[in-house]
Amino acid sequence: MSTEDLSLPDLKLLRLFELLYGTRSVTRAAEQLGQSQPTVSIWLGKLRELLHDPLFVRTPAGMQPTPRADALIGTVREALACVRRLAETAPEFDPAQAQRRFRICMTDASHVTLLPQLLAHVRAVAPRVRLEAARIDADTARALEAGDADLAIGLVPGLEAGFYQQTLFAQDWVCLANRRHPRLADGRLTLRRYEAEPHVAIASGTGYQLLAATLKERNITRDVHLELPGFLGLPAIVSTTDLVATLPRHIGETLARTADLLVLRCPLPIPGFEVKQHWHARFHHDAANRWLRGVCAALFMQEGAPRKPATQTRD
């Protein structure tokens, strides 16, 4: 500690100053502090030494303040008021009254699978809260740390120490096909059929690397007739052609419902992954951030799955 820090008055001494000024009595000040009178007398001695003034002088009318004490009481009360405000409980987040914007980093698949449900809930319980969807990219970690983004939902590998994460649901893989597909109407997709069929590929998304790695490991080359940068347009393509799409189950089943597509078991052993929500430790106790995380957990955590607590990433 610096010499300046050592010369600062202890908080208990400031409280004693305030009580002596108000009560004019060492005995009553000791009672309110829950200390013995000898202890409070020792504290008063330290206070006098620190401020180089008697501060309170014993008279028939009680402990009367010196001019120095009169000059300092306002500063002492102001300092104690600041400390009390510092110790106050952080304000709660009232979604019904709150006016703020949340920025959530997510994949384009989450725009289809998660965002509509999240938006509907927020509009129902927090009518003046606004949402903004942003991409998950190389800047996501910096944005979460700086407060430029509140939350990231998805597969976000590579986050270092200082971040929290909570699993929402697990993902495996499915294949989508036209319900009137000439060779797959029986609903059976073997690995041999998979290799022989024409494909539409999604060349983006956080799970794309898992699919690409599995194809390379098993030395499988798909006959890709169309490559898309995202899921926009995929239902229309699959529902009007004989192309097969391979994608994570959540987005696959959602798209299948919208376009009446066939959902097939994926014959490739593609590693599954967990979709998590991520936030920075700076905002772990922030009331608004806690509310948003709680909403996402309530909406998207798999039914029947154990409710896993948040964990903090380490170096």
Side-chain angles (χ1 to χ4, degrees):
M1 296 178 67
S2 67
T3 304
E4 181 180 339
D5 289 336
L6 290 172
S7 66
L8 292 174
D10 193 300
L11 187 61
K12 66 187 179 186
L13 300 184
L14 294 183
R15 180 71 177 123
L16 171 60
F17 189 112
E18 180 187 47
L19 287 173
L20 277 176
Y21 196 91
T23 65
R24 303 294 202 267
S25 168
V26 172
T27 301
R28 289 202 293 274
E31 290 173 353
Q32 294 190 42
L33 288 170
Q35 300 291 333
S36 67
Q37 186 169 333
T39 297
V40 169
S41 295
I42 293 172
W43 290 2
L44 178 57
K46 291 181 179 179
L47 194 57
R48 285 167 168 163
E49 181 181 355
L50 182 66
L51 298 178
H52 309 292
D53 190 87
L55 298 175
F56 299 94
V57 177
R58 192 175 303 278
T59 72
M63 300 292 288
Q64 295 300 313
T66 66
R68 172 83 164 143
D70 284 330
L72 288 175
I73 185 59
T75 301
V76 169
R77 286 172 173 165
E78 182 180 349
L80 287 170
C82 289
V83 173
R84 288 173 183 131
R85 286 196 297 270
L86 189 64
E88 286 177 354
T89 303
E92 291 300 314
F93 182 78
D94 182 0
Q97 301 299 325
Q99 295 188 43
R100 69 158 291 169
R101 177 181 296 270
F102 289 105
R103 191 166 187 251
I104 307 172
C105 300
M106 56 175 60
T107 63
D108 61 342
S110 294
H111 295 170
V112 178
T113 59
L114 306 182
L115 191 54
Q117 191 176 358
L118 177 59
L119 177 62
H121 179 86
V122 168
R123 293 192 68 189
V125 303
R128 288 185 285 184
V129 166
R130 299 294 179 260
L131 300 179
E132 177 186 350
R135 296 181 60 184
I136 292 177
D137 55 25
D139 191 53
T140 297
R142 183 212 61 79
L144 290 172
E145 181 178 359
D148 295 335
D150 298 283
L151 207 60
I153 300 178
L155 177 61
V156 191
L159 290 183
E160 298 178 356
F163 290 88
Y164 280 86
Q165 60 187 19
Q166 184 181 35
T167 300
L168 297 177
F169 54 89
Q171 286 272 53
D172 60 352
W173 294 77
V174 297
C175 293
L176 299 186
N178 190 326
R179 191 167 290 280
R180 294 170 296 281
H181 195 289
R183 294 172 298 279
L184 300 176
D186 60 359
R188 294 180 63 252
L189 181 61
T190 63
L191 185 57
R192 179 175 295 181
R193 281 186 176 184
Y194 183 88
E195 293 182 84
E197 290 296 330
H199 290 260
V200 52
I202 307 298
S204 66
T206 48
Y208 171 74
Q209 293 83 359
L210 297 175
L211 171 57
T214 301
L215 291 170
K216 182 178 180 180
E217 179 185 342
R218 298 183 68 86
N219 197 27
I220 294 175
T221 301
R222 293 184 300 172
D223 184 14
V224 177
H225 286 220
L226 175 65
E227 190 171 287
L228 297 174
F231 297 100
L232 181 64
L234 182 67
I237 295 296
V238 175
S239 65
T240 56
T241 67
D242 64 347
L243 302 184
V244 174
T246 306
L247 62 173
R249 179 176 296 277
H250 203 195
I251 179 65
E253 292 182 342
T254 301
L255 295 179
R257 287 193 296 269
T258 64
D260 192 28
L261 300 176
L262 199 60
V263 180
L264 304 168
R265 184 187 65 84
C266 180
L268 276 176
I270 308 170
F273 59 94
E274 292 181 327
V275 173
K276 302 177 180 180
Q277 55 177 343
H278 308 260
W279 62 96
H280 196 269
R282 288 183 59 212
F283 304 96
H284 185 61
H285 297 287
D286 178 72
N289 196 285
R290 287 204 318 268
W291 175 80
L292 180 62
R293 288 161 8 216
V295 167
C296 291
L299 291 177
F300 306 131
M301 200 169 281
Q302 283 180 331
E303 292 185 12
R307 193 178 181 88
K308 296 181 181 179
T311 57
Q312 191 168 13
T313 53
R314 303 293 181 187
D315 285 326

